[in-house]
Amino acid sequence: MIYKLHYGSFGHVSVLELSEPLAEHAHSMANLSVWLEGDPVEISVASKRAGFDQERATLIAPFVSHSVSLPQGGRAKTLSFYMDRRWLGTIIDKADPMSRFTTVELKLDRTNQALAAAIGRDLATGDGLQIDVRMEALLLGLLGSAKGGQDSADVRPPLDFRLSKAIRLMQADIAREYSLNEIARHAGMSRPRFFSMFRDHMDLTPGTYWNTLRIEHAISNMRQQGTNLTRLAGDLGFDAQGNFSRFFRQHTGVAPKQYRRAMRQAICSKKQVTMETHA
């Protein structure tokens, strides 16, 4: 299993060797997925298949539900960029570029294919000196083509104020899994109406959104030194660390310990490159 992380001005990037499907999930940051090698990978976004192969990459907006599958027994190496909204806005010339659409399919030419492959190698070998330059070139090349892609993208409707109220409740205590009836009542809607409106406006179910919050909270806490995974599992509402580990792997492709190790290595590598640059 290969899993590496790298932090940049845009956010962070990971290289992952997939050997099993990823459950339906979402991210709080915009996600750009690039296929590197191996068996074909299918990425389903909002119940639609998105391009994800050697000629196509997929840009997915924050909190858009998607799943990843591959042939039984198959393996594939992928590159995933997780980008801050404000940084993305400086590239696509929009104040909030991902607020109006859910996904955009981007074409990979030979230059960008070569850059993606080189970034994958840099991440695997730990070469941090060239990776930032290559990542900037790849992201500028791919995201520049997204400027005019909104007409063909899936458009996201404005968020209803009642949904905003429900989301604030869910964010306030992510360890407590409110029932749909409780959240709907808080938002002033019936349960069926709330579920339908949430899914239509957010492109994911309340349950998937809740899981996204828990994953993001776990990742944020793992950046801190001395984080106890058993205690973290309990804080997120899991009755056993094994259940939390299984949940985390189904949504990220790696176990919490492996993710934490990759995260800390990436942070140390970034500090070392910074010191060498200013030496």
Side-chain angles (χ1 to χ4, degrees):
M1 170 68 72
I2 299 174
Y3 190 77
K4 297 288 184 179
L5 283 170
H6 181 83
Y7 292 94
S9 59
F10 62 91
H12 67 276
V13 61
S14 69
V15 60
L16 169 66
E17 187 178 83
L18 281 171
S19 58
E20 56 190 38
L22 297 182
E24 188 170 312
H25 64 288
H27 307 284
S28 63
M29 306 175 80
N31 173 223
L32 174 63
S33 296
V34 182
W35 181 93
L36 292 178
E37 62 182 56
D39 292 302
V41 176
E42 181 172 295
I43 183 166
S44 298
V45 184
S47 301
K48 298 178 182 178
R49 185 184 181 281
F52 190 40
D53 52 36
Q54 62 184 356
E55 296 181 348
R56 298 173 296 173
T58 300
L59 178 64
I60 306 174
F63 292 109
V64 171
S65 178
H66 57 284
S67 60
V68 179
S69 60
L70 66 167
Q72 187 172 4
R75 304 182 79 88
K77 188 184 296 184
T78 63
L79 193 65
S80 293
F81 294 88
Y82 302 91
M83 299 165 290
D84 178 78
R85 281 175 181 250
R86 288 170 294 182
W87 179 89
L88 192 59
T90 65
I91 304 301
I92 308 183
D93 299 327
K94 296 286 182 181
D96 190 1
M98 301 305 287
S99 64
R100 292 187 60 251
F101 56 86
T102 58
T103 62
V104 177
E105 188 176 283
L106 305 173
K107 292 183 179 180
L108 282 169
D109 58 24
R110 291 189 177 183
T111 298
N112 288 330
Q113 290 172 7
L115 281 170
I119 292 169
R121 290 193 298 270
D122 290 343
L123 283 168
T125 60
D127 183 1
L129 294 177
Q130 293 296 323
I131 190 170
D132 287 323
V133 175
R134 288 172 173 153
M135 283 194 300
E136 182 178 357
L138 177 62
L139 291 174
L140 288 176
L142 285 176
L143 297 176
S145 65
K147 291 182 180 180
Q150 295 189 27
D151 291 340
S152 60
D154 294 325
V155 177
R156 180 181 256 171
L159 190 64
D160 186 277
F161 77 95
R162 291 170 294 181
L163 290 183
S164 297
K165 187 177 181 181
I167 287 171
R168 286 195 296 271
L169 175 67
M170 297 168 74
Q171 292 174 337
D173 187 1
I174 60 175
R176 177 185 172 185
E177 191 166 357
Y178 291 92
S179 69
L180 282 179
N181 286 333
E182 289 178 298
I183 303 173
R185 192 181 309 116
H186 181 79
M189 290 184 282
S190 67
R191 183 182 183 277
R193 176 59 177 161
F194 166 71
F195 185 89
S196 176
M197 182 180 287
F198 195 101
R199 182 186 56 199
D200 292 344
H201 280 68
M202 296 294 292
D203 297 294
L204 75 174
T205 66
T208 301
Y209 180 79
W210 203 294
N211 288 339
T212 302
L213 293 180
R214 293 201 286 179
I215 288 290
E216 298 292 339
H217 181 83
I219 290 174
S220 176
N221 275 265
M222 282 191 281
R223 291 179 65 97
Q224 303 172 18
Q225 290 290 338
T227 300
N228 184 288
L229 293 180
T230 300
R231 185 178 301 117
L232 178 59
D235 291 343
L236 291 172
F238 292 93
D239 55 7
Q241 184 183 336
N243 294 336
F244 166 63
S245 296
R246 189 179 308 108
F247 167 82
F248 193 92
R249 185 183 181 93
Q250 289 172 342
H251 288 77
T252 66
V254 292
K257 288 183 179 179
Q258 188 175 6
Y259 190 99
R260 181 174 62 180
R261 181 167 58 249
M263 176 186 289
R264 292 177 178 176
Q265 289 174 347
I267 293 173
C268 290
S269 176
K270 190 68 176 177
K271 289 180 179 178
Q272 182 178 353
V273 170
T274 302
M275 292 174 60
E276 292 174 355
T277 302
H278 292 87

Short mmCIF file of all heavy atoms in Angstrom, two decimals, residues 26-89:
data_model
loop_
_atom_site.label_atom_id
_atom_site.label_comp_id
_atom_site.label_asym_id
_atom_site.label_seq_id
_atom_site.Cartn_x
_atom_site.Cartn_y
_atom_site.Cartn_z
N ALA A 26 -17.53 12.54 0.81
CA ALA A 26 -17.35 13.89 0.27
C ALA A 26 -16.16 14.52 0.99
O ALA A 26 -15.62 13.95 1.94
CB ALA A 26 -18.61 14.72 0.47
N HIS A 27 -15.75 15.71 0.52
CA HIS A 27 -14.63 16.42 1.13
C HIS A 27 -15.05 17.87 1.38
O HIS A 27 -15.88 18.42 0.66
CB HIS A 27 -13.41 16.41 0.22
CG HIS A 27 -12.99 15.04 -0.23
ND1 HIS A 27 -12.33 14.16 0.59
CD2 HIS A 27 -13.16 14.39 -1.42
CE1 HIS A 27 -12.09 13.03 -0.06
NE2 HIS A 27 -12.59 13.15 -1.28
N SER A 28 -14.43 18.49 2.36
CA SER A 28 -14.74 19.89 2.64
C SER A 28 -14.00 20.83 1.70
O SER A 28 -14.29 22.03 1.67
CB SER A 28 -14.37 20.23 4.10
OG SER A 28 -12.97 20.08 4.30
N MET A 29 -13.05 20.29 0.94
CA MET A 29 -12.29 21.09 -0.02
C MET A 29 -12.59 20.59 -1.43
O MET A 29 -13.03 19.45 -1.61
CB MET A 29 -10.78 20.98 0.26
CG MET A 29 -10.40 21.33 1.68
SD MET A 29 -8.63 21.05 2.01
CE MET A 29 -7.92 22.54 1.28
N ALA A 30 -12.36 21.44 -2.42
CA ALA A 30 -12.49 20.99 -3.81
C ALA A 30 -11.47 19.89 -4.08
O ALA A 30 -10.34 19.94 -3.60
CB ALA A 30 -12.26 22.17 -4.75
N ASN A 31 -11.87 18.88 -4.83
CA ASN A 31 -11.04 17.70 -5.04
C ASN A 31 -10.80 17.48 -6.54
O ASN A 31 -11.75 17.41 -7.32
CB ASN A 31 -11.73 16.48 -4.43
CG ASN A 31 -11.05 15.17 -4.73
OD1 ASN A 31 -11.70 14.18 -5.04
ND2 ASN A 31 -9.74 15.13 -4.66
N LEU A 32 -9.54 17.40 -6.93
CA LEU A 32 -9.15 17.10 -8.30
C LEU A 32 -8.50 15.72 -8.32
O LEU A 32 -7.46 15.52 -7.70
CB LEU A 32 -8.17 18.15 -8.83
CG LEU A 32 -7.57 17.90 -10.22
CD1 LEU A 32 -8.66 17.89 -11.29
CD2 LEU A 32 -6.51 18.94 -10.55
N SER A 33 -9.12 14.76 -9.01
CA SER A 33 -8.64 13.39 -9.05
C SER A 33 -8.02 13.07 -10.39
O SER A 33 -8.61 13.33 -11.44
CB SER A 33 -9.80 12.41 -8.78
OG SER A 33 -10.32 12.59 -7.47
N VAL A 34 -6.80 12.51 -10.36
CA VAL A 34 -6.05 12.16 -11.56
C VAL A 34 -5.62 10.70 -11.46
O VAL A 34 -5.01 10.30 -10.47
CB VAL A 34 -4.82 13.06 -11.74
CG1 VAL A 34 -4.07 12.71 -13.03
CG2 VAL A 34 -5.20 14.53 -11.72
N TRP A 35 -5.94 9.91 -12.49
CA TRP A 35 -5.51 8.51 -12.56
C TRP A 35 -4.06 8.45 -13.00
O TRP A 35 -3.65 9.15 -13.93
CB TRP A 35 -6.42 7.78 -13.55
CG TRP A 35 -6.15 6.32 -13.75
CD1 TRP A 35 -6.73 5.28 -13.08
CD2 TRP A 35 -5.29 5.71 -14.73
NE1 TRP A 35 -6.27 4.08 -13.56
CE2 TRP A 35 -5.38 4.32 -14.58
CE3 TRP A 35 -4.43 6.23 -15.71
CZ2 TRP A 35 -4.66 3.42 -15.37
CZ3 TRP A 35 -3.69 5.35 -16.50
CH2 TRP A 35 -3.82 3.96 -16.33
N LEU A 36 -3.26 7.60 -12.34
CA LEU A 36 -1.85 7.48 -12.69
C LEU A 36 -1.52 6.18 -13.43
O LEU A 36 -0.93 6.19 -14.49
CB LEU A 36 -0.97 7.58 -11.42
CG LEU A 36 -0.93 8.94 -10.73
CD1 LEU A 36 -0.06 8.87 -9.48
CD2 LEU A 36 -0.43 10.03 -11.66
N GLU A 37 -1.91 5.05 -12.85
CA GLU A 37 -1.60 3.77 -13.47
C GLU A 37 -2.43 2.66 -12.83
O GLU A 37 -3.05 2.85 -11.80
CB GLU A 37 -0.11 3.43 -13.33
CG GLU A 37 0.35 3.30 -11.89
CD GLU A 37 1.84 3.02 -11.77
OE1 GLU A 37 2.64 3.81 -12.30
OE2 GLU A 37 2.19 2.01 -11.11
N GLY A 38 -2.42 1.48 -13.49
CA GLY A 38 -3.12 0.32 -12.94
C GLY A 38 -4.42 0.04 -13.66
O GLY A 38 -4.60 0.38 -14.84
N ASP A 39 -5.34 -0.59 -12.95
CA ASP A 39 -6.63 -0.95 -13.52
C ASP A 39 -7.54 0.27 -13.65
O ASP A 39 -7.33 1.27 -12.97
CB ASP A 39 -7.31 -2.01 -12.63
CG ASP A 39 -6.57 -3.34 -12.67
OD1 ASP A 39 -6.42 -3.89 -13.77
OD2 ASP A 39 -6.13 -3.81 -11.59
N PRO A 40 -8.55 0.18 -14.51
CA PRO A 40 -9.48 1.31 -14.67
C PRO A 40 -10.25 1.59 -13.39
O PRO A 40 -10.63 0.67 -12.66
CB PRO A 40 -10.42 0.85 -15.80
CG PRO A 40 -10.31 -0.64 -15.81
CD PRO A 40 -8.90 -0.96 -15.39
N VAL A 41 -10.46 2.86 -13.13
CA VAL A 41 -11.18 3.31 -11.94
C VAL A 41 -12.44 4.04 -12.38
O VAL A 41 -12.42 4.82 -13.32
CB VAL A 41 -10.31 4.26 -11.09
CG1 VAL A 41 -11.10 4.80 -9.90
CG2 VAL A 41 -9.06 3.54 -10.61
N GLU A 42 -13.53 3.77 -11.70
CA GLU A 42 -14.78 4.47 -11.99
C GLU A 42 -15.14 5.32 -10.79
O GLU A 42 -15.20 4.84 -9.66
CB GLU A 42 -15.92 3.50 -12.29
CG GLU A 42 -17.24 4.21 -12.61
CD GLU A 42 -18.30 3.24 -13.11
OE1 GLU A 42 -18.10 2.67 -14.18
OE2 GLU A 42 -19.30 3.07 -12.39
N ILE A 43 -15.34 6.61 -11.04
CA ILE A 43 -15.76 7.51 -9.98
C ILE A 43 -17.18 7.97 -10.27
O ILE A 43 -17.46 8.47 -11.36
CB ILE A 43 -14.78 8.69 -9.84
CG1 ILE A 43 -15.18 9.60 -8.67
CG2 ILE A 43 -14.67 9.50 -11.12
CD1 ILE A 43 -14.09 10.58 -8.28
N SER A 44 -18.08 7.77 -9.33
CA SER A 44 -19.48 8.13 -9.50
C SER A 44 -19.77 9.36 -8.65
O SER A 44 -19.56 9.35 -7.43
CB SER A 44 -20.39 6.97 -9.08
OG SER A 44 -20.16 5.84 -9.90
N VAL A 45 -20.24 10.42 -9.29
CA VAL A 45 -20.52 11.68 -8.63
C VAL A 45 -22.01 11.98 -8.75
O VAL A 45 -22.53 12.09 -9.85
CB VAL A 45 -19.71 12.83 -9.24
CG1 VAL A 45 -19.94 14.12 -8.47
CG2 VAL A 45 -18.23 12.49 -9.28
N ALA A 46 -22.67 12.09 -7.58
CA ALA A 46 -24.11 12.37 -7.58
C ALA A 46 -24.86 11.41 -8.51
O ALA A 46 -25.68 11.83 -9.32
CB ALA A 46 -24.36 13.82 -7.98
N SER A 47 -24.53 10.13 -8.40
CA SER A 47 -25.18 9.05 -9.15
C SER A 47 -24.84 9.07 -10.64
O SER A 47 -25.48 8.38 -11.43
CB SER A 47 -26.70 9.09 -8.97
OG SER A 47 -27.03 8.97 -7.60
N LYS A 48 -23.85 9.88 -11.04
CA LYS A 48 -23.44 9.92 -12.43
C LYS A 48 -21.96 9.52 -12.52
O LYS A 48 -21.18 9.85 -11.65
CB LYS A 48 -23.63 11.32 -13.02
CG LYS A 48 -25.08 11.80 -13.02
CD LYS A 48 -25.17 13.21 -13.58
CE LYS A 48 -26.60 13.72 -13.55
NZ LYS A 48 -26.70 15.12 -14.05
N ARG A 49 -21.60 8.82 -13.60
CA ARG A 49 -20.23 8.42 -13.79
C ARG A 49 -19.41 9.59 -14.32
O ARG A 49 -19.82 10.26 -15.26
CB ARG A 49 -20.12 7.24 -14.76
CG ARG A 49 -18.70 6.70 -14.89
CD ARG A 49 -18.63 5.60 -15.92
NE ARG A 49 -17.27 5.07 -16.03
CZ ARG A 49 -16.28 5.66 -16.69
NH1 ARG A 49 -16.51 6.80 -17.32
NH2 ARG A 49 -15.07 5.12 -16.75
N ALA A 50 -18.26 9.86 -13.69
CA ALA A 50 -17.38 10.94 -14.12
C ALA A 50 -16.12 10.37 -14.75
O ALA A 50 -15.68 9.27 -14.39
CB ALA A 50 -17.01 11.82 -12.93
N GLY A 51 -15.55 11.10 -15.70
CA GLY A 51 -14.34 10.66 -16.35
C GLY A 51 -13.16 10.62 -15.39
O GLY A 51 -12.91 11.57 -14.66
N PHE A 52 -12.44 9.51 -15.37
CA PHE A 52 -11.32 9.34 -14.46
C PHE A 52 -10.39 8.29 -15.03
O PHE A 52 -10.44 7.13 -14.66
CB PHE A 52 -11.85 8.94 -13.09
CG PHE A 52 -10.82 8.96 -11.98
CD1 PHE A 52 -9.87 9.95 -11.89
CD2 PHE A 52 -10.84 7.98 -11.01
CE1 PHE A 52 -8.94 9.97 -10.87
CE2 PHE A 52 -9.93 7.98 -9.98
CZ PHE A 52 -8.97 8.98 -9.90
N ASP A 53 -9.57 8.68 -16.01
CA ASP A 53 -8.65 7.75 -16.64
C ASP A 53 -7.44 8.54 -17.14
O ASP A 53 -7.25 9.69 -16.75
CB ASP A 53 -9.34 6.99 -17.79
CG ASP A 53 -10.03 7.91 -18.79
OD1 ASP A 53 -9.50 9.01 -19.05
OD2 ASP A 53 -11.11 7.54 -19.30
N GLN A 54 -6.61 7.92 -17.99
CA GLN A 54 -5.37 8.57 -18.41
C GLN A 54 -5.59 9.81 -19.28
O GLN A 54 -4.67 10.61 -19.47
CB GLN A 54 -4.49 7.58 -19.17
CG GLN A 54 -5.10 7.04 -20.45
CD GLN A 54 -4.22 5.99 -21.10
OE1 GLN A 54 -3.12 5.72 -20.63
NE2 GLN A 54 -4.70 5.40 -22.18
N GLU A 55 -6.80 10.00 -19.77
CA GLU A 55 -7.08 11.16 -20.62
C GLU A 55 -8.01 12.17 -19.96
O GLU A 55 -8.21 13.25 -20.50
CB GLU A 55 -7.69 10.70 -21.95
CG GLU A 55 -6.74 9.84 -22.79
CD GLU A 55 -7.35 9.43 -24.11
OE1 GLU A 55 -8.58 9.63 -24.27
OE2 GLU A 55 -6.61 8.93 -24.97
N ARG A 56 -8.60 11.83 -18.81
CA ARG A 56 -9.56 12.71 -18.17
C ARG A 56 -9.34 12.75 -16.66
O ARG A 56 -9.11 11.72 -16.03
CB ARG A 56 -10.99 12.26 -18.46
CG ARG A 56 -11.39 12.27 -19.93
CD ARG A 56 -12.75 11.66 -20.12
NE ARG A 56 -12.75 10.24 -19.76
CZ ARG A 56 -13.84 9.48 -19.70
NH1 ARG A 56 -15.02 10.03 -19.94
NH2 ARG A 56 -13.75 8.21 -19.39
N ALA A 57 -9.43 13.94 -16.10
CA ALA A 57 -9.41 14.14 -14.65
C ALA A 57 -10.76 14.70 -14.23
O ALA A 57 -11.53 15.19 -15.07
CB ALA A 57 -8.29 15.09 -14.26
N THR A 58 -11.07 14.62 -12.95
CA THR A 58 -12.37 15.09 -12.47
C THR A 58 -12.20 16.08 -11.33
O THR A 58 -11.51 15.80 -10.35
CB THR A 58 -13.24 13.91 -11.98
OG1 THR A 58 -13.45 13.01 -13.07
CG2 THR A 58 -14.59 14.41 -11.49
N LEU A 59 -12.82 17.25 -11.47
CA LEU A 59 -12.84 18.29 -10.45
C LEU A 59 -14.19 18.23 -9.75
O LEU A 59 -15.23 18.35 -10.39
CB LEU A 59 -12.61 19.65 -11.09
CG LEU A 59 -12.65 20.88 -10.18
CD1 LEU A 59 -11.53 20.83 -9.16
CD2 LEU A 59 -12.55 22.16 -11.03
N ILE A 60 -14.16 18.04 -8.44
CA ILE A 60 -15.39 17.87 -7.66
C ILE A 60 -15.48 18.96 -6.60
O ILE A 60 -14.51 19.23 -5.89
CB ILE A 60 -15.42 16.49 -6.97
CG1 ILE A 60 -15.21 15.38 -8.00
CG2 ILE A 60 -16.74 16.29 -6.22
CD1 ILE A 60 -15.07 14.00 -7.39
N ALA A 61 -16.63 19.59 -6.50
CA ALA A 61 -16.84 20.68 -5.54
C ALA A 61 -16.86 20.15 -4.10
O ALA A 61 -17.08 18.96 -3.86
CB ALA A 61 -18.15 21.40 -5.84
N PRO A 62 -16.62 21.03 -3.12
CA PRO A 62 -16.71 20.62 -1.72
C PRO A 62 -18.10 20.07 -1.38
O PRO A 62 -19.11 20.56 -1.88
CB PRO A 62 -16.43 21.92 -0.95
CG PRO A 62 -15.64 22.76 -1.90
CD PRO A 62 -16.19 22.44 -3.26
N PHE A 63 -18.12 19.05 -0.54
CA PHE A 63 -19.35 18.44 -0.04
C PHE A 63 -20.25 17.91 -1.15
O PHE A 63 -21.48 17.98 -1.05
CB PHE A 63 -20.11 19.41 0.86
CG PHE A 63 -19.40 19.71 2.15
CD1 PHE A 63 -18.83 20.95 2.37
CD2 PHE A 63 -19.27 18.75 3.13
CE1 PHE A 63 -18.15 21.23 3.55
CE2 PHE A 63 -18.61 19.01 4.32
CZ PHE A 63 -18.04 20.25 4.53
N VAL A 64 -19.64 17.38 -2.20
CA VAL A 64 -20.39 16.68 -3.24
C VAL A 64 -20.12 15.18 -3.08
O VAL A 64 -18.97 14.75 -3.09
CB VAL A 64 -20.00 17.14 -4.65
CG1 VAL A 64 -20.62 16.25 -5.72
CG2 VAL A 64 -20.45 18.58 -4.87
N SER A 65 -21.17 14.42 -2.94
CA SER A 65 -21.05 12.98 -2.68
C SER A 65 -20.50 12.25 -3.89
O SER A 65 -20.93 12.47 -5.03
CB SER A 65 -22.43 12.42 -2.31
OG SER A 65 -22.35 11.02 -2.10
N HIS A 66 -19.54 11.36 -3.67
CA HIS A 66 -19.00 10.53 -4.74
C HIS A 66 -18.42 9.24 -4.15
O HIS A 66 -18.11 9.16 -2.96
CB HIS A 66 -17.92 11.28 -5.54
CG HIS A 66 -16.77 11.77 -4.71
ND1 HIS A 66 -16.85 12.87 -3.89
CD2 HIS A 66 -15.50 11.31 -4.57
CE1 HIS A 66 -15.69 13.08 -3.29
NE2 HIS A 66 -14.84 12.13 -3.69
N SER A 67 -18.32 8.22 -4.99
CA SER A 67 -17.74 6.95 -4.59
C SER A 67 -16.76 6.51 -5.67
O SER A 67 -16.80 6.98 -6.80
CB SER A 67 -18.83 5.89 -4.40
OG SER A 67 -19.54 5.69 -5.61
N VAL A 68 -15.86 5.61 -5.30
CA VAL A 68 -14.82 5.14 -6.21
C VAL A 68 -14.85 3.61 -6.24
O VAL A 68 -14.89 2.97 -5.20
CB VAL A 68 -13.43 5.63 -5.77
CG1 VAL A 68 -12.34 5.12 -6.71
CG2 VAL A 68 -13.39 7.14 -5.69
N SER A 69 -14.85 3.06 -7.44
CA SER A 69 -14.85 1.60 -7.58
C SER A 69 -13.82 1.17 -8.61
O SER A 69 -13.40 1.96 -9.46
CB SER A 69 -16.24 1.10 -8.00
OG SER A 69 -16.62 1.67 -9.24
N LEU A 70 -13.40 -0.07 -8.53
CA LEU A 70 -12.46 -0.65 -9.48
C LEU A 70 -12.76 -2.14 -9.58
O LEU A 70 -13.49 -2.69 -8.75
CB LEU A 70 -11.02 -0.40 -9.07
CG LEU A 70 -10.45 -1.03 -7.81
CD1 LEU A 70 -8.92 -0.88 -7.80
CD2 LEU A 70 -10.97 -0.36 -6.54
N PRO A 71 -12.25 -2.84 -10.61
CA PRO A 71 -12.57 -4.26 -10.79
C PRO A 71 -12.17 -5.08 -9.57
O PRO A 71 -11.22 -4.73 -8.86
CB PRO A 71 -11.73 -4.66 -12.01
CG PRO A 71 -11.47 -3.38 -12.74
CD PRO A 71 -11.36 -2.32 -11.68
N GLN A 72 -12.89 -6.16 -9.32
CA GLN A 72 -12.58 -7.02 -8.19
C GLN A 72 -11.15 -7.53 -8.30
O GLN A 72 -10.73 -8.07 -9.31
CB GLN A 72 -13.56 -8.19 -8.13
CG GLN A 72 -13.40 -9.04 -6.89
CD GLN A 72 -14.51 -10.08 -6.77
OE1 GLN A 72 -15.34 -10.20 -7.64
NE2 GLN A 72 -14.51 -10.83 -5.68
N GLY A 73 -10.38 -7.37 -7.24
CA GLY A 73 -8.99 -7.79 -7.24
C GLY A 73 -8.06 -6.82 -7.94
O GLY A 73 -6.86 -7.07 -8.05
N GLY A 74 -8.60 -5.70 -8.43
CA GLY A 74 -7.81 -4.73 -9.17
C GLY A 74 -7.03 -3.80 -8.27
O GLY A 74 -7.29 -3.69 -7.06
N ARG A 75 -6.07 -3.09 -8.84
CA ARG A 75 -5.27 -2.09 -8.14
C ARG A 75 -5.06 -0.91 -9.06
O ARG A 75 -4.92 -1.07 -10.28
CB ARG A 75 -3.92 -2.66 -7.69
CG ARG A 75 -4.01 -3.90 -6.83
CD ARG A 75 -2.64 -4.37 -6.39
NE ARG A 75 -2.14 -3.57 -5.29
CZ ARG A 75 -2.38 -3.86 -4.00
NH1 ARG A 75 -3.14 -4.89 -3.68
NH2 ARG A 75 -1.88 -3.10 -3.04
N ALA A 76 -5.02 0.27 -8.51
CA ALA A 76 -4.78 1.48 -9.30
C ALA A 76 -4.13 2.53 -8.43
O ALA A 76 -4.41 2.62 -7.22
CB ALA A 76 -6.09 2.01 -9.88
N LYS A 77 -3.26 3.32 -9.03
CA LYS A 77 -2.60 4.42 -8.32
C LYS A 77 -3.25 5.73 -8.76
O LYS A 77 -3.40 5.97 -9.96
CB LYS A 77 -1.10 4.45 -8.60
CG LYS A 77 -0.32 5.44 -7.73
CD LYS A 77 1.13 5.50 -8.12
CE LYS A 77 1.84 4.19 -7.88
NZ LYS A 77 3.29 4.30 -8.18
N THR A 78 -3.65 6.54 -7.80
CA THR A 78 -4.33 7.80 -8.11
C THR A 78 -3.65 8.97 -7.41
O THR A 78 -2.99 8.81 -6.38
CB THR A 78 -5.80 7.75 -7.68
OG1 THR A 78 -5.87 7.59 -6.25
CG2 THR A 78 -6.53 6.58 -8.34
N LEU A 79 -3.86 10.14 -7.97
CA LEU A 79 -3.33 11.38 -7.42
C LEU A 79 -4.53 12.28 -7.13
O LEU A 79 -5.36 12.51 -8.00
CB LEU A 79 -2.41 12.04 -8.45
CG LEU A 79 -1.51 13.20 -8.03
CD1 LEU A 79 -0.47 12.73 -7.01
CD2 LEU A 79 -0.82 13.79 -9.25
N SER A 80 -4.62 12.76 -5.90
CA SER A 80 -5.77 13.59 -5.52
C SER A 80 -5.30 14.90 -4.89
O SER A 80 -4.53 14.89 -3.92
CB SER A 80 -6.67 12.84 -4.54
OG SER A 80 -7.30 11.74 -5.16
N PHE A 81 -5.79 16.01 -5.45
CA PHE A 81 -5.50 17.34 -4.91
C PHE A 81 -6.72 17.82 -4.13
O PHE A 81 -7.85 17.73 -4.61
CB PHE A 81 -5.21 18.33 -6.04
CG PHE A 81 -3.94 18.03 -6.80
CD1 PHE A 81 -3.96 17.18 -7.90
CD2 PHE A 81 -2.74 18.61 -6.42
CE1 PHE A 81 -2.81 16.91 -8.61
CE2 PHE A 81 -1.58 18.34 -7.13
CZ PHE A 81 -1.61 17.48 -8.23
N TYR A 82 -6.48 18.38 -2.94
CA TYR A 82 -7.54 18.94 -2.12
C TYR A 82 -7.24 20.43 -1.97
O TYR A 82 -6.26 20.81 -1.32
CB TYR A 82 -7.59 18.24 -0.76
CG TYR A 82 -7.80 16.74 -0.91
CD1 TYR A 82 -6.72 15.88 -1.01
CD2 TYR A 82 -9.08 16.20 -1.01
CE1 TYR A 82 -6.90 14.52 -1.18
CE2 TYR A 82 -9.28 14.85 -1.17
CZ TYR A 82 -8.19 14.01 -1.27
OH TYR A 82 -8.36 12.66 -1.44
N MET A 83 -8.10 21.25 -2.57
CA MET A 83 -7.77 22.67 -2.77
C MET A 83 -8.70 23.60 -2.01
O MET A 83 -9.92 23.42 -2.00
CB MET A 83 -7.82 22.99 -4.27
CG MET A 83 -6.81 22.18 -5.08
SD MET A 83 -7.14 22.22 -6.87
CE MET A 83 -8.64 21.22 -6.94
N ASP A 84 -8.10 24.61 -1.42
CA ASP A 84 -8.84 25.65 -0.71
C ASP A 84 -9.67 26.47 -1.69
O ASP A 84 -9.22 26.79 -2.79
CB ASP A 84 -7.84 26.56 0.02
CG ASP A 84 -8.51 27.69 0.75
OD1 ASP A 84 -9.06 27.46 1.83
OD2 ASP A 84 -8.49 28.82 0.21
N ARG A 85 -10.87 26.83 -1.30
CA ARG A 85 -11.78 27.59 -2.17
C ARG A 85 -11.17 28.91 -2.62
O ARG A 85 -11.25 29.30 -3.79
CB ARG A 85 -13.09 27.89 -1.43
CG ARG A 85 -14.09 26.75 -1.35
CD ARG A 85 -15.26 27.20 -0.50
NE ARG A 85 -16.26 26.14 -0.36
CZ ARG A 85 -17.45 26.18 -0.92
NH1 ARG A 85 -17.78 27.19 -1.68
NH2 ARG A 85 -18.32 25.20 -0.74
N ARG A 86 -10.55 29.62 -1.68
CA ARG A 86 -10.01 30.95 -2.01
C ARG A 86 -8.84 30.83 -2.98
O ARG A 86 -8.72 31.63 -3.91
CB ARG A 86 -9.60 31.68 -0.73
CG ARG A 86 -10.78 32.16 0.11
CD ARG A 86 -10.35 32.65 1.47
NE ARG A 86 -9.82 31.56 2.28
CZ ARG A 86 -9.40 31.70 3.54
NH1 ARG A 86 -9.44 32.89 4.11
NH2 ARG A 86 -8.95 30.68 4.22
N TRP A 87 -7.98 29.82 -2.76
CA TRP A 87 -6.88 29.62 -3.69
C TRP A 87 -7.42 29.26 -5.07
O TRP A 87 -6.95 29.78 -6.09
CB TRP A 87 -5.97 28.49 -3.19
CG TRP A 87 -4.82 28.22 -4.11
CD1 TRP A 87 -3.59 28.80 -4.08
CD2 TRP A 87 -4.82 27.31 -5.22
NE1 TRP A 87 -2.81 28.31 -5.10
CE2 TRP A 87 -3.54 27.39 -5.82
CE3 TRP A 87 -5.75 26.43 -5.76
CZ2 TRP A 87 -3.17 26.64 -6.93
CZ3 TRP A 87 -5.40 25.68 -6.88
CH2 TRP A 87 -4.13 25.79 -7.45
N LEU A 88 -8.43 28.40 -5.10
CA LEU A 88 -9.02 27.99 -6.37
C LEU A 88 -9.62 29.19 -7.10
O LEU A 88 -9.56 29.29 -8.32
CB LEU A 88 -10.09 26.92 -6.12
CG LEU A 88 -10.63 26.17 -7.34
CD1 LEU A 88 -9.51 25.46 -8.08
CD2 LEU A 88 -11.71 25.19 -6.92
N GLY A 89 -10.19 30.11 -6.33
CA GLY A 89 -10.78 31.30 -6.93
C GLY A 89 -9.77 32.16 -7.65
O GLY A 89 -10.09 32.82 -8.65
#
